[in-house]
Amino acid sequence: MHLLSKNLNHIKMASTKLMGPFTQLLPMTDLPLKGSLKDEQLSIITNGGILVSEGKVVKVGVFDDLKSAVTEIEHFEGNHVCIPGFIDAHTHICFGGSRANDFAMRNAGKSYLEIAKAGGGIWDTVTQTRKASSKGLVKGIMARSQKHLANGTTTLEVKSGYGLSVDEELKILRAIKEANEQTAQDLVPTCLAAHMKPKDWQGSAREYLDHIAHSLFPILQKEKLANRIDAFVEDSAFSSSGIAPYFEKARNSGFDLTVHADQFTTGGSEIAVRFEAVSADHLEASTTREIELLAKSNTVAVALPGASIGLGCGYAPARKLLDAGGVLAIASDHNPGSAPMGDLLTQATIMATFEKLSNTEILAALTFRAAKALNLSDRGMLKEGKLADFIIYPTDNYQEITYHQGQLKPLVVYKSGEKVFDSI
Ligand code: NIG
Ligand code: FE
C-alpha cells in the first residue's frame, strides 16, 4: 500500500492525459439532486476513459474515441470500474484519547448519564484533546485521514468540537488546517464549538454561545480556519430556541450552517430548515413531519449509519426521506464516542440493506449529493470542469462495490488527476 502526500502531487500537472480503458465508468452525471433513484437511471460507459488536465476533467467518454486527442495515456489492463471519489461530509477525526470504555459500558446496559458520571462521554474526549499537543493532533488526523483515503474518500469534512474554549477550538482548527496541507485529500473544516456547554464554563449556555460568536468567529474568518458552523441541537446539548441567536449571528457573518439534528429527539432539523442550513445530520429520531420539512427544503439530509451501528440504535429514515423527495447524503460521523469504526462504504451498505436503498442511491449519497452537503459544486461527478477525483476498483461490475460492503478495496485512488493511493 502506498500513500502520497499533497506536496508531491503537483509535479506533472500541465499536460493532458487520458486514463483508461475502464470496463465500466460511472460518471454520476445526469441524475436528479433530489428524490429516489433507480439503478436503471445510472449511466454506465463501457470501456470508458477520462481526459484530465491540470487536475480537472476535460472530457469523459469511450476510451477509443478520446485516444486521438492525446499523446500521454495511462493504460489500465484488465477489468476496472471507475467512480468519483467519495465525499465524507461529517467526521470528528481530530481528537485525543479513546472511549473504548464507553463502548463496553453501553453494551453492559449503562445509560448516557451513567457513562458521563463514570467519566465518559463527549467531555472525556474534550479533556483528552485539551491535553494533546498540536503535533499529536495533526498526527492523529493524518493517520485517520489516510485510512479514509485508502478507502476512496478524496474529500473529508473534519469538525472541531472537542476543545470548547476559544483557545482549544483554535488549536484543533489550526491542526486541521496543517493536516490539510499534508494530506492528499481535501479536508473541509467545520467549527463545532457548540457541541455541548463546557463543564468548566461558569455562565449560562447563552453566555457561552455569545462568547464563542463574539471571540471565535472573527478569528475563524481572519485565519480562514472554517466557513462552516455546526451545533448539536439536543436535550443534552443546546435547545432549538437556545441555538437560534447563535445561528443568526453565524449566518449574518456569512458562515454556512450545519446541524447535529434529531439524533435522539426532534427539533434540530426544523431549525436547520428555518436557517437554510446546508445540511441536517443524524435524523435517527425524525418523524414524518421532519421528513416532509426536509424534503421540501434545500437542506441535505445526512444519514450517519456509523453512529447507529456504534450506539446500537435505529437508522435515519433514508428510504422515506428519498421517497418524500429529499436529498440524501451518507457520512461516517467518524468520532471516538459513537462512531469509532470510520468505514464509510461499509456503514452505507449496511444501512442500505435495512433501508432498501438502490446502488444508485448509495453511490449518489457518497458523491454528488454529499458534495451538496458541503456546498461544493466542483466535485462529486466526473464531467468537464470538475475535479479529477476518482476511485478505481479491480472488478468488471460496479455492483460488486456495494455487494462486498466495503471489503472490495480500491486498487488506486486519484485526487486532482494525480495518483494518491496505490494498493500495490
Ligand atoms: O455526531 N452527537 C454528537 N456528536 C457526535 C458524538 C460525539 C462523541 O460522542 O464524542 C456524533 O455522534
Ligand atoms: Fe457528529
Side-chain angles (χ1 to χ4, degrees):
M1 168 167 135
H2 196 51
L3 292 151
L4 302 164
S5 86
K6 201 174 268 174
N7 300 338
L8 298 174
N9 290 338
H10 301 288
I11 300 164
K12 39 173 187 140
M13 292 285 264
S15 62
T16 302
K17 188 165 66 176
L18 174 63
M19 285 141 145
F22 304 115
T23 321
Q24 293 184 335
L25 194 162
L26 276 53
M28 299 306 292
T29 46
D30 307 316
L31 289 164
L33 181 65
K34 295 185 100 175
S36 58
L37 296 165
K38 299 236 179 300
D39 288 342
E40 295 75 53
Q41 291 171 264
L42 188 65
S43 66
I44 302 172
I45 303 173
T46 307
N47 293 322
I50 309 178
L51 212 52
V52 174
S53 181
E54 300 191 344
K56 296 208 171 129
V57 176
V58 176
K59 209 168 177 183
V60 169
V62 174
F63 181 81
D64 283 341
D65 297 346
L66 299 172
K67 260 197 323 207
S68 58
V70 286
T71 48
E72 196 184 343
I73 296 180
E74 201 167 321
H75 249 280
F76 288 81
E77 306 290 342
N79 288 321
H80 297 97
V81 171
C82 176
I83 64 172
F86 294 140
I87 296 167
D88 190 339
H90 183 137
T91 83
H92 309 245
I93 60 163
C94 183
F95 61 86
S98 161
R99 301 247 294 281
N101 198 45
D102 284 21
F103 184 80
M105 285 178 78
R106 261 199 313 274
N107 293 346
K110 298 280 183 249
S111 70
Y112 183 86
L113 227 68
E114 286 169 320
I115 293 170
K117 259 198 187 145
I122 295 173
W123 189 250
D124 180 20
T125 302
V126 171
T127 309
Q128 300 297 323
T129 307
R130 286 181 178 181
K131 277 189 208 149
S133 66
S134 301
K135 215 171 140 193
L137 291 180
V138 174
K139 217 172 140 193
I141 302 170
M142 286 304 292
R144 294 173 197 119
S145 65
Q146 297 318 288
K147 278 195 190 167
H148 285 276
L149 187 63
N151 284 330
T153 299
T154 47
T155 301
L156 192 62
E157 187 257 16
V158 187
K159 298 176 196 297
S160 65
Y162 293 123
L164 306 190
S165 71
V166 169
D167 286 349
E168 292 294 330
E169 286 290 304
L170 283 172
K171 182 176 89 178
I172 292 172
L173 287 159
R174 287 177 183 139
I176 298 169
K177 191 174 183 181
E178 194 175 328
N180 183 41
E181 281 155 20
Q182 290 180 28
T183 182
Q185 71 223 131
D186 289 328
L187 304 183
V188 178
T190 303
C191 175
L192 178 56
H195 203 178
M196 65 180 273
K197 190 183 103 170
K199 286 193 178 177
D200 57 355
W201 176 260
Q202 303 302 328
S204 65
R206 171 79 196 244
E207 285 161 345
Y208 171 68
L209 293 174
D210 284 350
H211 166 65
I212 291 294
H214 181 262
S215 305
L216 184 58
F217 286 3
I219 308 175
L220 299 183
Q221 294 185 309
K222 191 163 162 249
E223 288 188 37
K224 293 194 181 355
L225 290 171
N227 63 11
R228 294 162 43 84
I229 298 294
D230 193 352
F232 187 17
V233 176
E234 192 54 61
D235 288 350
S236 59
F238 297 98
S239 66
S240 300
S241 57
I243 211 67
Y246 182 71
F247 275 167
E248 191 81 52
K249 282 182 198 146
R251 195 174 58 173
N252 291 344
S253 305
F255 289 99
D256 279 348
L257 303 178
T258 172
V259 188
H260 275 72
D262 304 356
Q263 184 178 11
F264 304 110
T265 56
T266 55
S269 57
E270 187 172 356
I271 197 112
V273 171
R274 169 140 72 93
F275 279 91
E276 296 174 325
V278 289
S279 76
D281 306 24
H282 271 297
L283 310 174
E284 293 89 334
S286 299
T287 68
T288 311
R289 184 170 170 271
E290 287 74 35
I291 291 168
E292 276 164 15
L293 273 175
L294 284 163
K296 275 193 215 123
S297 76
N298 290 320
T299 297
V300 178
V302 181
L304 305 173
S308 304
I309 296 166
L311 297 177
C313 45
Y315 294 101
R319 179 73 269 142
K320 287 183 181 157
L321 275 156
L322 286 164
D323 289 344
V327 195
L328 177 80
I330 304 173
S332 74
D333 196 20
H334 192 178
N335 76 71
S338 58
M341 182 214 283
D343 190 321
L344 178 60
L345 185 59
T346 300
Q347 295 161 359
T349 48
I350 289 173
M351 182 179 78
T353 64
F354 290 94
E355 286 294 312
K356 307 297 170 215
L357 305 183
S358 71
N359 277 324
T360 309
E361 287 167 337
I362 302 169
L363 295 176
L366 301 178
T367 57
F368 69 95
R369 288 177 169 180
K372 184 75 181 165
L374 294 178
N375 204 6
L376 296 173
S377 55
D378 61 351
R379 64 195 74 193
M381 54 179 79
L382 296 170
K383 159 180 191 178
E384 188 186 342
K386 305 282 181 193
L387 290 175
D389 298 352
F390 48 89
I391 313 169
I392 294 160
Y393 284 98
T395 178
D396 61 349
N397 174 6
Y398 83 92
Q399 292 179 315
E400 299 281 341
I401 300 167
T402 48
Y403 165 61
H404 286 283
Q405 296 192 295
Q407 297 311 300
L408 178 69
K409 297 293 182 186
L411 185 70
V412 271
V413 178
Y414 283 79
K415 172 83 191 96
S416 299
E418 296 297 319
K419 194 187 286 180
V420 290
F421 168 76
D422 192 335
S423 63
I424 305 152

